[in-house]
């Protein structure tokens, strides 16, 4: 039997194998959203234009799976503070929120800005520094 190693980060994107990240809006609508983004809308406005919420992803099933596996604490890789409260709502304790930081590129600067400005993601990238209250 191979040696099992404990993961330093609990993956939150536990999904059924057949489901994609954008399963709530479906693949065809996700492609339509990408087309709207090519026409100038950001990721949030594209979803809203198609009649969907800004972010349709659901994390409840993944959180339930983690709890059922006996995971009680974790370091969480995310820039989204709402994920921390969502995980903790299932009785899991986030011991550390670890930001995912990569230098922005011209191709993703608008995407990252929309995530920061419209969805509250904490981004500390160059030219996308997250401003705290009072600054």
């Amino acid at each position: 039997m191979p040696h099992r190693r404990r993961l330093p980060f609990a993956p939150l994107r536990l999904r059924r194998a057949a489901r994609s990240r954008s399963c709530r809006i479906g693949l065809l609508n996700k492609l339509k959203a990408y087309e709207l983004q090519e026409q100038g809308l950001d990721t949030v406005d594209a979803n809203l234009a198609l009649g969907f919420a800004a972010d349709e992803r659901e994390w409840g099933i993944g959180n339930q799976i983690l709890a059922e596996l006996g995971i009680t604490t974790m370091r969480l890789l995310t820039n989204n503070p709402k994920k921390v409260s969502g995980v903790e709502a299932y009785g899991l304790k986030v011991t550390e929120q670890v930001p995912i930081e990569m230098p922005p590129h011209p191709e993703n600067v608008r995407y990252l800005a929309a995530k920061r400005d419209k969805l509250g993601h904490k981004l500390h990238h160059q030219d996308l520094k997250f401003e705290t209250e009072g600054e």
Side-chain angles (χ1 to χ4, degrees):
M1 186 167 171
H3 174 69
R4 289 187 157 192
R5 188 174 77 102
R6 185 171 173 232
L7 295 175
F9 299 96
L12 256 193
R13 293 188 179 181
L14 293 176
R15 299 276 190 168
R16 291 183 183 145
R19 297 177 74 177
S20 73
R21 177 176 180 250
S22 37
C23 66
R24 301 252 325 147
I25 70 171
L27 181 58
L28 183 59
N29 284 321
K30 193 61 182 173
L31 293 174
K32 288 178 184 177
Y34 288 148
E35 185 176 7
L36 290 172
Q37 288 174 49
E38 288 178 6
Q39 295 171 11
L41 295 181
D42 64 37
T43 185
V44 172
D45 289 338
N47 283 349
L48 296 174
L50 293 171
F52 297 104
D55 187 350
E56 289 275 339
R57 294 175 293 176
E58 291 186 4
W59 305 102
I61 292 171
N63 292 339
Q64 290 173 9
I65 291 170
L66 292 172
E68 286 295 319
L69 290 172
I71 295 170
T72 57
T73 62
M74 70 181 75
R75 295 173 66 207
L76 184 61
L77 249 79
T78 186
N79 295 328
N80 185 349
K82 290 179 183 176
K83 282 187 190 171
V84 175
S85 58
V87 165
E88 290 177 338
Y90 281 84
L92 304 165
K93 181 178 179 186
V94 176
T95 59
E96 181 182 5
Q97 179 182 348
V98 181
I100 302 167
E101 296 186 350
M102 300 285 295
H105 300 282
E107 298 85 21
N108 68 1
V109 138
R110 287 185 63 238
Y111 174 80
L112 293 171
K115 289 286 196 173
R116 179 198 62 201
D117 298 341
K118 296 183 176 184
L119 298 175
H121 289 217
K122 293 185 176 184
L123 300 174
H124 301 278
H125 303 94
Q126 62 186 21
D127 299 327
L128 284 175
K129 183 167 175 61
F130 182 78
E131 296 179 13
T132 59
E133 291 181 31
E135 284 189 333

